[in-house]
Amino acid sequence: MTGAITRLPDLGWMLRPLTEIPGVRHAVVVSEDGLRLGHDSAENLTGPVTRLGVPEAESLSAACAAMTMTGRSTAALLFGGGAGVRQLMLESEHGFVLFTHAGAGAHLAVATDTEADVGLVAQQMQVLVAKIGAHLSTQPREPASPSS
């Protein structure tokens, strides 16, 4: 499938309030089709991923899109077609990844360590989406013209 991709400005600066919460490591905004719209990492991180670069954030965006699509398919199987997904959570032995709908065509993912207050992080994700969700949204790709 080919199509025109509208390049959006990097939205990473909007994620700073989330990465300032204790225990939050990274945050990324991703389009439904897996494109990175913005990312940010907490300051002074230690461990295997100290700061997300663009390549790591793009890989994370693709993984987040796959997770949200899997969640949507699972909800449709269990609750019928059209059942939306509000949030997903992945727990690992090293921390959590929270996913939430961030606006039309976009999702927000936040990775934390094991010590983070996951309830606080989820609540602050909802606050951020309520405040600036329109800026986090993205339109679907335009279909390719027959001449391209």
Side-chain angles (χ1 to χ4, degrees):
M1 178 173 118
T2 60
I5 299 172
T6 303
R7 191 49 88 183
L8 296 172
D10 191 320
L11 304 175
W13 63 273
M14 293 182 182
L15 305 175
R16 176 59 45 194
L18 290 174
T19 58
E20 292 176 345
I21 298 172
V24 169
R25 298 185 60 83
H26 312 287
V28 63
V29 180
V30 56
S31 70
E32 283 188 347
D33 52 2
L35 297 175
R36 179 190 66 88
L37 301 176
H39 73 278
D40 195 22
S41 296
E43 299 291 327
N44 304 318
L45 288 176
T46 59
V49 180
T50 55
R51 194 147 183 87
L52 287 180
V54 170
E56 294 89 3
E58 288 178 347
S59 294
L60 181 59
S61 296
C64 290
M67 284 289 299
T68 55
M69 186 55 69
T70 301
R72 184 180 300 161
S73 296
T74 303
L77 285 170
L78 295 173
F79 305 113
V85 174
R86 294 184 186 154
Q87 286 187 320
L88 294 169
M89 184 175 82
L90 174 89
E91 182 178 1
S92 129
E93 59 196 36
H94 299 290
F96 299 89
V97 183
L98 303 162
F99 303 88
T100 192
H101 180 76
H107 297 278
L108 171 63
V110 174
T112 75
D113 61 26
T114 56
E115 304 302 317
D117 181 342
V118 177
L120 173 65
V121 174
Q123 187 258 346
Q124 289 302 308
M125 290 171 71
Q126 294 304 317
V127 168
L128 181 69
V129 167
K131 277 187 190 172
I132 60 172
H135 300 288
L136 301 177
S137 300
T138 183
Q139 297 299 314
R141 294 183 207 186
E142 296 175 19
S145 65
S147 62
S148 58

